[in-house]
Amino acid sequence: MSRGTVGRYFILSFLVAKAAAQEFAQTRFICTSIPLEMEPMCSAPMQNSGPVEDIKGTILQLRETILQQKETIMNQKETIRELTAKLSRCESQSTSGSSQYNRANTTAQTNTLKDLLQNKIDDLERHVLSRVNSLEETKNLVRNDTTENRGKIENALNSLHQRISDLEKGQKNSRPTDKFQITFPLRTNYMYAKVKKSLPEMYAMTVCMWLKSNASPGVGTPFSYAVPGQANELVLIEWGNNPMEILINDKVAKLPFVITDGKWHHICVTWSTRDGIWEAYQDGMKRGNGENLAPWHPIKPGGIMVLGQEQDMLGGGFDATQAFVGEMAHFHMWDRVLTPGEVYSLANCNAKTLVGNVIAWTEANVDIYGGATKWTFEACRQIN
């Protein structure tokens, strides 16, 4: 091997060794023998073995150096791993310590806020208690004052009630009990008034009343008197387009009344069982008369007199189509035939003392049912 060849080999080996030292962690070294034909310059026989031995020694030294460097690199890598692990532990401990510090700091802040809130709550409680005590004291004062005022007010009210009661009693005692009217505002089968007094057996009779109505068709039934076994013992009715009729023992007489103009009218009907003679008066004037109305049949006692409804049975069986609609007042009945002069006086509100001896128009004699109402009677005031 020539000196040039040895130099190249030495340089090559040095470069290989250096590269191996730098890339040892990533490079795997493989030693491979080189065939003689690959290097012609090595085919020549060595004439002098001295230099070759020097080269071999150098190579061995380089190999030993490489191995040492490799071991050093391995040791350094192990050291790096240990340092990395220690660093991680230190960082975790530092983080934990920081968290503990933060938690401690947060706890301290929370405790401080709790203390502040508690102090605020205590102040509010003291303020509320103070207000409550003040209100209680004021309440006691007001209660005492209110008790005195209440006593004065109650005394004044009692005095006022007593005066009102006295005035009502005086007014009731001074007001005539017949100055009222009954109003039937709707055509129903439940609004009616009932006369408390029962009728005796009658062989003659007169019935008079004030009526006001503009109902159509027909004003309905101003009154009906029923006895056991006979619902139409005595009835005054204007039903549908028929004229007003008087029924006695279910016998009929047509009456010449015209009262559907919405004004007050005074009507009277007289009857006698002798020949069944009857007379009809409107506003004090005779408008019609006849005979053979249930002749020789006395009106039976023990029945029920109803105002405003027609009875199909004793005390009931009302039909809304036959109900009276309007106002009624001064319903009187006698067991005799009134004279034309008496009837005229009644129609002109002059007969102050002439009242029915069988049925008299007083509030105590009439019960009202179903929503019919009582009002002060005004017809006589209008006439006078």
Side-chain angles (χ1 to χ4, degrees), residues 96 211 312 358 361:
S96 176
L211 294 178
D312 287 337
V358 176
W361 185 252

Side-chain angles (χ1 to χ4, degrees), residues 1-11 41 48 50-51 54-55:
M1 180 179 299
S2 64
R3 294 182 61 92
T5 300
V6 173
R8 288 195 304 270
Y9 184 82
F10 177 78
I11 292 171
M41 67 184 59
N48 189 2
D54 294 336
I55 292 172

Side-chain angles (χ1 to χ4, degrees), residues 127-179:
H127 181 69
V128 169
L129 289 175
S130 176
R131 289 292 296 169
V132 169
N133 293 331
S134 176
L135 290 174
E136 287 292 335
E137 294 176 358
T138 305
K139 183 179 179 182
N140 293 331
L141 296 175
V142 172
R143 185 184 294 115
N144 296 332
D145 186 46
T146 303
T147 302
E148 295 179 4
N149 291 334
R150 186 180 301 166
K152 294 179 181 179
I153 293 172
E154 288 180 354
N155 292 333
L157 287 175
N158 290 333
S159 177
L160 182 60
H161 283 309
Q162 186 63 39
R163 292 181 61 187
I164 291 173
S165 298
D166 294 340
L167 290 174
E168 287 178 346
K169 289 179 181 179
Q171 184 180 7
K172 185 175 181 181
N173 293 332
S174 64
R175 180 172 60 86
T177 60
D178 62 340
K179 299 299 183 182

Side-chain angles (χ1 to χ4, degrees), residues 210-214 259 262-265 324-328:
W210 285 91
L211 294 178
K212 178 182 179 182
S213 179
N214 59 0
I259 60 172
K263 298 179 180 180
W264 282 107
H265 294 281
F324 174 72
V325 179
E327 299 172 59
M328 178 187 302

Side-chain angles (χ1 to χ4, degrees), residues 299-316:
I299 296 174
K300 296 178 181 179
I304 296 176
M305 177 68 75
V306 171
L307 307 179
Q309 295 285 351
E310 196 275 330
Q311 303 175 66
D312 287 337
M313 62 179 66
L314 185 64

Side-chain angles (χ1 to χ4, degrees), residues 195-207 225 234 299-301 305 331-336 355-362 365:
V195 177
K196 294 180 181 181
K197 294 188 68 174
S198 61
L199 275 61
E201 186 177 55
M202 294 187 298
Y203 295 87
M205 70 91 189
T206 300
V207 58
Y225 175 70
L234 177 60
I299 296 174
K300 296 178 181 179
M305 177 68 75
F331 180 87
H332 291 274
M333 181 176 284
W334 294 261
D335 59 0
R336 66 181 179 86
V355 296
N357 66 333
V358 176
I359 296 176
W361 185 252
T362 62
N365 286 342

